[in-house]
Amino acid sequence: MDILIKPSSIYGNLIAPSSKSEMQRVVAAALLAKGESVITNPSFCEDSKVALKVSEKLGAKISIEKNRVIITGGLIHTSSELHFGESALALRMFAPIAGLTGKECILNGSKSLLKRPIELISESLSNFGIECFSTNNRLPISIKGKLKGNSAKIDGKISSQVLTGLLMALPCVSENSTIFVEQLNSKPYIKLTLAVFNRFGIEIESDSKLSRFKIKGNQKYIPQNYNIEGDWSNMSFMMVAAAIGGFVSIKGLNASSYQSDIQILKALESTEANIEWKNNVLEVSKNKLKEFEFDATDCPDLFPPLVALAAYCKGTSKIKGVSRLTHKESNRGMALKEEFAKLGIQIEIFDDLMLIVGGVVCGGSVDSHHDHRMAMALAIAALGANNEVIIQNAECVSKSYPDFFNDLKQLKQF
């Protein structure tokens, strides 16, 4: 599907869509809790649907209503294959949980997920009693054996999501465990993980640097009523849109959220965009934008909206953390450079640093690379362009924000 974006100012109000990151964690926790959990304000993007389907395959009974999901937990191995679509979080989180059943299982996916290396999953699971078999370090992966407690090191540089899965599954085994983490990135998401587990009655001891975790075995998840907060990742695009071309007020965001992408506020503040909280409603509006420097190592999903923002900032903006972009839905660093060049914006990459030269954004035809965050970034950048922009393969936004283009259309002022 191609989408045509005409230059436009924006003005209006939005309710933040539900956080898919929190939703997937809560779904998995509800699976492990024997009894009925109720999730209100649920996310139904493609990644969240994957988490629900995988939970059903692993034994949960799920009833979906208009604005709530009822999950009756109970881990039972009911399928020899689990399919994760394009959701890397679901794959990395549910792989250790599947290992709790002691049954052989094939983990598979589609499209971009088939291109992502799975070495981190295999190495981490093997430390805790699971044998893993794959070809060329790619999906599908076959797992065999039963998860058991151990003391082991894992690498957190590429992703924290395997750690999330281990922290979720290991309290359910009989033995105690200790995990030592080297070079952990995305620390806020581990804090989110621990907060969700704590709500479900799980206690995990960690040091202040999140480099060591002590997990007691034989713990029990307790069913909960859980309300999902708004998604900072998705709303970062709308905040940038407002900073570029108008005004938006957003309800439903948690100002104290553990989501990494709440850091968008610091980036916007450094450009001198107008930001204000009024009665728990966030307001962002246009101002003269200056170049900025930002470290996105712990929040790499902010790269696409920050590149769109930098395109409208005077001078050269610098974003650190490019190494976190290689194994996303696309190679986002190179994809951003390639597609924004088509819009007249120069981007250079030096090791872990991206430099974006602000200037005039031109019209033209660009490609999402089948990457939801690329599609949204290009759409936002198009708002202040000097001509129309056509975005190819824009349907990929359904992965995280199915209503993105509808919400953007609601805000546009022609």
Side-chain angles (χ1 to χ4, degrees):
M1 177 181 72
D2 295 350
I3 290 287
L4 174 66
I5 304 292
K6 296 181 179 180
S8 171
S9 60
I10 67 167
Y11 187 94
N13 309 312
L14 287 176
I15 298 175
S18 306
S19 167
K20 76 181 183 76
S21 296
E22 188 175 36
M23 176 70 177
Q24 290 181 83
R25 287 165 169 82
V26 173
V27 168
L31 161 69
L32 294 171
K34 291 186 178 180
E36 184 177 285
S37 295
V38 179
I39 303 173
T40 53
N41 193 37
S43 163
F44 291 119
C45 69
E46 291 301 323
D47 280 6
S48 296
K49 289 178 181 177
V50 165
L52 290 168
K53 289 178 181 178
V54 169
S55 290
E56 278 191 312
K57 293 284 189 179
L58 289 171
K61 295 180 180 179
I62 297 176
S63 174
I64 297 176
E65 300 179 1
K66 184 177 181 180
N67 197 39
R68 68 176 193 164
V69 174
I70 302 170
I71 299 179
T72 304
L75 188 65
I76 304 172
H77 186 75
T78 60
S79 176
S80 60
E81 181 170 352
L82 300 175
H83 202 284
F84 295 91
E86 291 190 87
S87 179
L89 171 58
L91 170 64
R92 294 163 179 165
M93 184 173 63
F94 281 100
I97 294 173
L100 289 171
T101 67
K103 304 291 185 180
E104 187 170 357
C105 184
I106 296 173
L107 312 180
N108 212 339
S110 60
K111 298 180 181 178
S112 63
L113 196 59
L114 296 175
K115 301 176 183 179
R116 297 196 185 192
I118 57 171
E119 183 177 0
L120 182 59
I121 298 174
S122 301
E123 290 181 351
S124 299
L125 291 182
S126 66
N127 288 327
F128 296 93
I130 303 295
E131 295 181 81
C132 301
F133 308 92
S134 65
T135 302
N136 297 324
N137 194 30
R138 296 292 189 273
L139 290 179
I141 177 173
S142 175
I143 63 172
K144 183 179 180 181
K146 190 168 185 177
L147 197 74
K148 62 183 180 181
N150 192 16
S151 178
K153 292 181 181 180
I154 69 168
D155 186 354
K157 184 177 182 180
I158 296 176
S159 174
S160 66
Q161 293 171 347
V162 174
L163 175 60
T164 285
L166 289 170
L167 292 175
M168 180 167 283
L170 287 173
C172 300
V173 305
S174 58
E175 306 89 358
N176 297 338
S177 300
T178 303
I179 301 177
F180 299 93
V181 187
E182 299 177 338
Q183 304 182 75
L184 178 61
N185 288 318
S186 299
K187 290 181 181 179
Y189 277 112
I190 293 302
K191 293 180 179 179
L192 172 62
T193 296
L194 295 175
V196 170
F197 296 174
N198 187 254
R199 279 281 303 275
F200 280 83
I202 298 299
E203 295 183 3
I204 295 176
E205 180 184 336
S206 65
D207 63 357
S208 60
K209 296 181 180 180
L210 299 179
S211 61
R212 185 186 72 249
F213 298 85
K214 292 184 178 181
I215 307 120
K216 290 183 179 180
N218 289 317
Q219 295 190 59
K220 304 295 183 184
Y221 281 79
I222 302 170
Q224 296 294 313
N225 293 340
Y226 200 111
N227 187 70
I228 305 297
E229 67 184 40
D231 194 310
W232 279 94
S233 302
N234 288 330
M235 285 298 93
S236 66
F237 293 95
M238 297 308 188
M239 294 176 208
V240 169
I244 289 171
F247 168 88
V248 67
S249 70
I250 305 171
K251 296 180 180 179
L253 291 173
N254 178 5
S256 302
S257 177
Y258 287 117
Q259 295 178 53
S260 291
D261 292 345
I262 193 175
Q263 297 301 316
I264 186 65
L265 294 179
K266 290 185 177 180
L268 287 168
E269 287 169 358
S270 68
T271 68
E272 299 185 356
N274 297 319
I275 304 169
E276 187 175 1
W277 285 97
K278 290 184 178 179
N279 298 321
N280 295 319
V281 177
L282 179 63
E283 296 183 351
V284 181
S285 59
K286 182 179 179 180
N287 195 11
K288 292 183 179 179
L289 300 174
K290 69 173 188 177
E291 74 276 8
F292 64 92
E293 295 186 14
F294 186 80
D295 187 347
T297 302
D298 279 343
C299 45
D301 286 344
L302 286 183
F303 259 92
L306 288 178
V307 169
L309 177 65
Y312 289 91
C313 292
K314 292 183 178 180
T316 299
S317 297
K318 302 176 182 179
I319 310 175
K320 183 181 178 182
V322 179
S323 60
R324 300 294 313 282
L325 301 181
T326 304
H327 299 298
K328 295 293 185 179
E329 283 77 1
S330 63
N331 182 337
R332 277 194 191 142
M334 297 308 299
L336 286 164
K337 180 178 180 178
E338 178 183 345
E339 298 308 319
F340 272 81
K342 296 175 184 177
L343 300 179
I345 298 300
Q346 179 184 348
I347 295 176
E348 297 295 338
I349 298 174
F350 300 96
D351 295 325
D352 203 34
L353 189 67
M354 179 180 286
L355 306 181
I356 307 100
V357 181
V360 177
V361 178
C362 304
S365 179
V366 291
D367 194 318
S368 73
H369 293 241
H370 302 281
D371 183 333
H372 54 134
R373 301 197 194 281
M374 281 290 299
M376 290 188 276
L378 293 165
I380 295 307
L383 293 174
N386 62 13
N387 210 331
E388 300 174 343
V389 174
I390 297 173
I391 304 171
Q392 300 170 9
N393 302 305
E395 70 278 0
C396 56
V397 298
S398 64
K399 185 177 191 297
S400 63
Y401 192 173
D403 291 328
F404 171 77
F405 287 110
N406 289 334
D407 285 353
L408 187 61
K409 184 177 181 180
Q410 172 188 326
L411 294 174
K412 288 177 68 174
Q413 304 292 306
F414 296 99

